[in-house]
């Protein structure tokens, strides 16, 4: 099954739900450009999410979805809100959405949990998920342990539902590789941070453009909440706090607060600039539509030039 057919969209590309970034307006812009736009509900409360859903519905007639971070204290209410608002597609992050899947399926929704392991992929398949978004630790934001290259084929062998590849996709060659690994399409995050429509501060975009291959670092490994961000003063401070044994919840709050500082105020020193390892490949800010068209064209070219 092709991802664009499953979701009724033009391109086989999902925009990852990015907390504090992926607004209703941004999700609508992505859906209008032919991908699947997702509202990132991670940093929202239920009322705010409802407003963003309404904005998204006003601005696009194309399919869109919501990403729920399961550690959000209002995740349960949000799960119900998506049913009430007839949101067609839901993705979930940071945990097992098993308890919500039956109700979502009864409401006719497409359910795509993000998974960092074979075990969770199998569990959500059993619970009725329509597909899994398999995310490797090259990705920006909260990550697991395994790389896309190692993890995706192992999940593909272990489940019968469609597998969507996330983590490390910023070129047509990488999109082609996602298909070669057994994926039916991709989810991208970092490459869309450098889009014209992405509502992050220009300083954040500039930091992505300046990034090199080795510019990202993972914070939170000790606390058990690994997050990939661009190396800066904040990253160093976080690691120091971590080593000093700071409480897990406090560290999580520290990260969320600092992401907002980066996104809204453009604070590239003490803000948390979440981004994936592919940041080093991104050199220009472009409209989302152009990013998608280039990814697709390069993918076909790379396929034609493949020598085995
Ligand atoms: C700034 C940023 C914030 C993110 N926030 C979330 C989130 O709230 N929920 C989620 O499921 N994934 C989140 N992610 C992961 C993306 O949805 C996506 O899976 C990932 O970016 C794909 O890898 P890439 O960064 O290499 O493209 C985030 C990624 C970035 C870059």
């Amino acid at each position: 099954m092709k991802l664009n057919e499953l979701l009724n969209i033009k391109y086989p590309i999902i925009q990852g739900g990015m907390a504090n970034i992926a607004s209703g307006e941004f999700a609508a812009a992505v859906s209008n450009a032919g991908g699947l736009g997702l509202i990132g509900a991670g940093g929202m409360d239920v009322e705010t999410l409802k407003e963003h859903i309404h904005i998204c519905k006003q601005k696009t007639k194309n399919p869109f979805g919501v990403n729920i971070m399961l550690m959000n204290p209002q995740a349960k209410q949000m799960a119900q809100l998506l049913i009430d608002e007839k949101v067609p597609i839901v993705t979930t992050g940071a945990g097992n959405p098993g308890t919500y899947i039956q109700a979502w399926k009864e409401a006719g929704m497409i359910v795509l949990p993000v998974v960092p392991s074979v075990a969770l992929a199998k569990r959500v398949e059993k619970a009725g998920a329509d597909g899994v978004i398999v995310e490797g630790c090259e990705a920006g934001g909260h990550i697991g342990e395994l790389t896309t290259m190692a993890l995706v084929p192992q999940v593909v062998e272990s489940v019968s539902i469609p597998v969507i590849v996330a983590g490390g996709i910023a070129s047509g060659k990488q999109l082609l590789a996602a298909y070669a690994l057994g994926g039916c399409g991709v989810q991208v995050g970092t490459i869309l941070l450098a889009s014209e429509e992405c509502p992050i501060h220009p300083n954040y975009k500039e930091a992505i453009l300046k990034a090199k291959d080795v510019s990202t670092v993972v914070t939170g490994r000790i606390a058990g909440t690994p997050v990939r961000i661009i190396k800066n003063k904040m990253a160093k401070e976080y690691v120091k706090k971590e080593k000093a044994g700071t409480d897990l919840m406090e560290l999580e709050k520290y990260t969320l607060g600092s992401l907002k500082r980066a996104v809204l105020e453009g604070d590239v020193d003490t803000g948390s600039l979440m981004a994936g390892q592919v940041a080093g490949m991104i050199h220009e800010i472009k409209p989302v539509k152009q990013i998608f068209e280039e990814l697709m064209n390069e993918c076909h070219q790379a396929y034609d030039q493949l020598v085995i």
Side-chain angles (χ1 to χ4, degrees):
M1 164 68 87
K2 289 183 178 176
L3 182 62
N4 44 318
E5 287 170 7
L6 174 70
L7 302 179
N8 194 24
I9 55 178
K10 185 170 178 192
Y11 301 120
I13 305 170
I14 299 176
Q15 160 247 311
M18 297 183 274
N20 295 308
I21 294 174
S23 59
E25 190 160 0
F26 182 56
V30 172
S31 289
N32 286 335
L36 181 78
L38 293 180
I39 299 166
M44 297 181 186
D45 57 24
V46 187
E47 274 313 304
T48 313
L49 175 58
K50 196 174 180 177
E51 284 165 24
H52 282 270
I53 291 171
H54 290 176
I55 291 170
C56 193
K57 282 179 179 169
Q58 272 165 22
K59 293 192 178 274
T60 188
K61 293 287 158 263
N62 292 346
F64 72 97
V66 172
N67 169 258
I68 294 188
M69 289 297 268
L70 295 163
M71 64 197 174
N72 186 308
Q74 295 192 324
K76 195 173 172 195
Q77 294 95 307
M78 287 180 175
Q80 184 56 45
L81 176 72
L82 301 195
I83 295 173
D84 298 342
E85 289 288 331
K86 298 191 171 32
V87 171
I89 298 152
V90 58
T91 74
T92 59
N96 182 357
T99 49
Y100 306 123
I101 293 181
Q102 196 186 342
W104 282 336
K105 288 312 301 167
E106 280 167 10
M109 293 164 65
I110 295 178
V111 182
L112 303 171
V114 177
V115 300
S117 68
V118 168
L120 187 55
K122 283 180 163 174
R123 271 207 293 277
V124 299
E125 178 183 41
K126 212 168 163 197
D130 296 276
V132 278
I133 301 170
V134 178
E135 192 190 68
C137 60
E138 299 93 323
H142 289 81
I143 54 169
E145 274 294 324
L146 300 171
T147 59
T148 302
M149 182 74 110
L151 177 61
V152 172
Q154 296 187 63
V155 174
V156 168
E157 273 190 18
S158 310
V159 299
S160 312
I161 50 179
V163 169
I164 296 136
V165 179
I169 317 285
S171 76
K173 288 190 178 112
Q174 288 159 327
L175 174 56
L176 180 62
Y179 284 113
L181 294 176
C184 68
V186 295
Q187 170 167 289
V188 296
T190 301
I191 195 174
L192 294 177
L193 292 174
S195 65
E196 280 178 5
E197 296 89 335
C198 187
I200 57 173
H201 194 281
N203 294 354
Y204 193 160
K205 292 189 189 180
E206 199 55 39
I208 302 281
L209 301 187
K210 277 195 199 145
K212 299 191 180 73
D213 54 347
V214 291
S215 292
T216 69
V217 62
V218 178
T219 59
R221 280 229 192 271
I222 298 173
T225 52
V227 178
R228 185 175 297 285
I229 62 176
I230 291 182
K231 283 178 199 163
N232 64 358
K233 193 171 161 219
M234 181 269 162
K236 280 185 204 146
E237 273 168 21
Y238 187 99
V239 172
K240 218 190 274 170
K241 272 181 189 283
E242 226 186 332
K243 285 188 179 152
T246 307
D247 172 71
L248 204 144
M249 281 314 288
E250 198 193 317
L251 281 171
E252 187 55 35
K253 268 191 233 152
Y254 183 69
T255 321
L256 270 181
S258 53
L259 174 63
K260 274 190 184 152
R261 258 201 319 279
V263 170
L264 302 175
E265 296 160 29
D267 181 345
V268 291
D269 294 323
T270 73
S272 162
L273 304 163
M274 291 186 184
Q277 290 181 335
V278 290
M281 299 173 66
I282 300 166
H283 309 297
E284 214 184 314
I285 294 164
K286 299 171 188 170
V288 174
K289 191 164 181 288
Q290 188 183 338
I291 292 173
F292 289 162
E293 281 167 358
E294 287 179 3
L295 277 176
M296 296 309 296
N297 291 340
E298 278 173 25
C299 179
H300 288 291
Q301 268 171 25
Y303 179 73
D304 291 340
Q305 289 165 3
L306 207 55
V307 179
I308 297 171

